[in-house]
Amino acid sequence: MKRAMVVAGTMLLSMSAQAEPFGAPPARQPFVTTLSNNTPLAFGMDAEQTSRALGQTLQYVRGRPGNEIYLALRNIGGSGLIPYRHRLFLQFRHGRLAGWKEDYGENWMWE
C-alpha cells in the first residue's frame, strides 16, 4: 500500500512539473501553424500541388504547354451584396511554379 502511494505521488509530481503554471497564458504556437492556409506556395511546385495548396482548381489563362499562366479566384468574403474576390495569377515555367502575383485592382464588374 505504501509503495502504491509513493508511485502515485511520484507520478503526480512529474505531471505537475510538466504542466503549465495555473493562470499562465498558453504556450505560443509558431505563426505558420495559426494560418488557415498552412500549406504555402513554394517555387518548383507543379500545377496539381499548387491547386492542392490553394484548395481550389486553377483556371488556364494563356501560354504554351509547360509555360502557362493560371488564375485562382480567391473568395475573401465581403458584404452580403458584393462578394470580394482577389485574383491570384500563377506563372509556370517548364511545368513548375516560377512566380505568382495577386491582383488587388478594382473589381472588373465596376470598371
Side-chain angles (χ1 to χ4, degrees):
M1 179 72 168
K2 234 181 193 189
R3 184 178 178 143
M5 288 176 54
V6 170
V7 169
T10 307
M11 287 177 58
L12 285 174
L13 283 174
S14 67
M15 287 180 4
S16 66
Q18 294 172 357
E20 297 173 3
F22 182 73
R28 195 165 181 198
Q29 295 180 355
F31 175 71
V32 293
T33 61
T34 62
L35 299 174
S36 61
N37 177 10
N38 58 10
T39 306
L41 294 177
F43 294 111
M45 293 175 127
D46 62 7
E48 179 62 33
Q49 292 170 334
T50 305
S51 176
R52 213 172 317 121
L54 294 173
Q56 60 186 347
T57 58
L58 303 178
Q59 299 172 12
Y60 173 80
V61 176
R62 67 178 177 183
R64 294 185 209 140
N67 296 325
E68 301 102 346
I69 295 177
Y70 287 100
L71 171 66
L73 286 173
R74 300 173 58 200
N75 188 4
I76 309 232
S79 69
L81 298 174
I82 302 170
Y84 197 63
R85 294 186 181 132
H86 280 171
R87 295 169 287 216
L88 181 65
F89 291 96
L90 304 151
Q91 172 73 55
F92 288 85
R93 296 203 189 278
H94 307 291
R96 299 291 175 189
L97 185 61
W100 58 88
K101 175 187 172 190
E102 191 158 10
D103 183 11
Y104 295 105
E106 296 295 321
N107 188 343
W108 61 269
M109 187 178 253
W110 307 113
E111 291 179 355

